[in-house]
Amino acid sequence: MEFVTQKNREVRMMSERIYLNNDWKFAEQFEASMTEAAYDDSTMQNVRLPHTCKETPLHYFDEHCYQMISGYRRVIEAEKAWEGKKILLTIDGAAHDSEVFLNGEKVGEHHCGYTAFTMDISGVLRYGEKNILVVKVDSREDLNIPPFGYVIDYMTYGGIYRDVYLDIKNKDYIEDIFIRTDIGQMDDQNAELISEVTVQRTQEGLFLKQSLKNKKTGEYQPLGESEISGTSMQLSYPVENVILWELEHPELYEVKTELICDGKLMDERIDRIGFRRAEFKKDGFYLNGKKIKLRGLNRHQSYPYVGYAMPKSMQQLDADILKRELGVNAVRTSHYPQSHYFIERCDEIGLLVFTEIPGWQHIGNAAWKNQAVENVRDMVKQYRNHTSIILWGVRINESQDDDAFYRRTNAAAHEFDDSRPTGGVRANRKSSLLEDVYTYNDFVHDGKAKGCEPKKNVTSDMEKPYLISEYNGHMYPTKAFDWEEHRTEHALRHANVLDAVAAEEDIAGCFGWCMFDYNTHKDFGSGDRICYHGVMDMFRNPKLAAVIYACQQEKEPVLELSSSMDIGEHPGCNRGEIYIFTNADKVRMYKNDRFIKEYTAADSPYTHLKHGPILINDFIGDALQKEHMKPGQEAGVKKALNAFTRFGFAKLPKSIYATGIWLILRYHMNMEEAVRLYNQYIGDWGGTSTTYRFEAVMVDASTRQERVVKTIIKEPMTERKISAVADHENLIDAESYDVAEVRIQAQDEHGNILPFYNEPLTIETEGPIEIIGAKTVALQGGMGGIYVKSQRLLTAEKQDAVLIIRDGDSDIKIGFTVRSERNK
């Protein structure tokens, strides 16, 4: 949603929004006297929002450190011109239980850390004076509200970690709008725009006027005008020649709704929407009539050091990473509603969203359940205008059946949005199904078992849709610095599930656990307060498993190998099973610049994935020709040598022993000759190291012309370098601070990650930027990251800054600019 802001207040005084993210005072202990004007806040910490009540180490910390009752205090200078208007204060997210005081008077409270709450403070503000706003925030985990009550497999953090703002409105104003679209017959490009509008009013003769424009082009086109009676009404207008919101072309429109009285504009609101039809059917998911297999990942909203407290730029970046780097088409916001900035970005780039209420396994008492039902109402009302959202999660994640409770949550969702289905994530088969979609965490795959259960084994109603909401994760935790075979197995397990789900026509799709590693409670993880379940590390550096997802998109060429090709990394110096990961049409393999083999997608055993992993089964090519063997002998020797490469002597398939006996009997070969051939054509031990080159080739469908789109070279490194790349270098310090993520990787001269380089780097800054978290970082698995935060500039200006990363005697410098766009 978009609203009029301070920037254009001189044009539209009927409505303005003022962000209150700056100039807060913070203390880890709340005192009742903080609400008084005379309170001495000089010892309180100066902070900006989003804010975490406690910065934490990267790992190995006690989660009790952020559990506190803290206090936030700020001065609001209420303009005299506001008197007689409606002043609404909104806190978009405060973890987890909040009380709000203005000038010593309590004006609101909220009992959920993941939804927004709004208070009318018009009658308490002192106009033309300074007002004292205080927020008491309880982040203790013994609260009787979701998700608390038992253990939780994620940190819950604390603080006011999203925006706080004022809306200044006339007394007659638009309170809420729910916009739906009906695209009718999808081939005639005609649709209907349906709006349910709620207003606050003090007089008669109010009219609602709506207009529409394509967000990218064009002017607003009038839809119609209607007089409003009462406080709510439904508007319905036909729209011609609409462009549908699709995954690859997510067309968005702006709906402008104006409240008018006697020709005077009283209020105005602009909402972004897309015209689309999203349907779950018993045989899968359909978008605009086309069946789409959902391929997604779960996302927590946490970051190193600051937990939930990251601004707009980082929320948007996660959506971009999911869509553009990982190549998924959907995300589940586990296990709570997440930032509107994140969901808005999903709207913009065409990433489907399954969002759900807060909770993790535990169901509490009656008061706890009442709050959970309220959380459903808040979630649906606050997020229902996001085009990307296709499913409401109305069960507590992995909880047991509770029909009376879940009838209430389903009813609440349908009451406020009858256009989307409900789902409920469970970990048990054949459970009571009150939702529209059976969503199930399928952890059947253990590396050997089938990739997923068939629908008929799980759901209690085959006529309803079925969706896998989690897989893998705790079944095979993997660190970026684990040994090569472990990282490969992690990647293959994700491929196994994706391939199995793709083969099941009546499974709507699946969401892997999970996008990135995350801090967790002492009861989970690897003992260091980290769950290493992600396909990325905590700094969003990709592990090998991330490549499995990246290969399924077509926009960016992907080529990666599961091995560094260093023989000493493997038991017995046998290379084992090595896989090519690519989305190219072909991959050519070279050994010491000698062509070995060309691989295509048809060589992958993953028959249901468009781009499945490809096993390298030949390290020799035609090199044996110079041995002048007979054709049958050459084929047998090649088969045996390649088997030795994969399996070693101890685990050779029985068929290779038969081949060996045949070579001895038929061609009089002996062990001495076999060892010579192995050392010359396969084994590198004791000899000169080998260089491997792989080329990804795309073939033009019309001309059949081939072009190399990516090349990787694997050989022992001779040069180490540190790569540091910022996601953006122009920081905008506006309603809040801006943050850039800097991914760091230790690489060889060919850009390959050095997975066992775990050395420390020291960080320095010059200019108006600062580092979030530690000033010395140790790489893990050859990877790490830094978050660079803009400092507040006093005037509307631009200043330069430099980030300096010291690696021993060498420096890496990244230049930044910080530009102020202050509103107030």
Side-chain angles (χ1 to χ4, degrees), residues 120-227:
D120 181 354
I121 60 172
S122 310
V124 186
L125 268 181
R126 297 167 183 167
Y127 300 96
E129 301 180 26
K130 292 183 177 181
N131 297 260
I132 303 300
L133 174 65
V134 174
V135 185
K136 174 185 176 183
V137 182
D138 191 341
S139 55
R140 295 174 300 175
E141 295 184 354
D142 58 358
L143 296 166
N144 189 36
I145 59 173
F148 305 115
Y150 197 54
V151 295
I152 305 169
D153 177 25
Y154 53 92
M155 298 293 195
T156 59
Y157 305 103
I160 305 178
Y161 69 92
R162 292 181 187 159
D163 292 339
V164 174
Y165 52 84
L166 292 176
D167 285 318
I168 295 93
K169 296 179 174 292
N170 290 314
K171 288 191 173 181
D172 298 283
Y173 68 95
I174 301 168
E175 182 178 35
D176 188 40
I177 301 176
F178 173 33
I179 301 175
R180 295 176 287 123
T181 62
D182 184 350
I183 61 174
Q185 298 299 317
M186 285 167 287
D187 56 355
D188 63 10
Q189 294 185 305
N190 294 326
E192 186 177 18
L193 185 74
I194 305 162
S195 303
E196 297 176 12
V197 187
T198 304
V199 300
Q200 288 292 329
R201 56 183 302 174
T202 62
Q203 57 186 318
E204 300 298 322
L206 292 173
F207 287 80
L208 285 171
K209 178 181 178 181
Q210 277 193 325
S211 53
L212 179 74
K213 79 166 183 177
N214 183 291
K215 181 156 175 58
K216 295 178 182 177
T217 60
E219 300 293 328
Y220 280 106
Q221 301 298 318
L223 294 173
E225 183 175 325
S226 300
E227 184 174 6

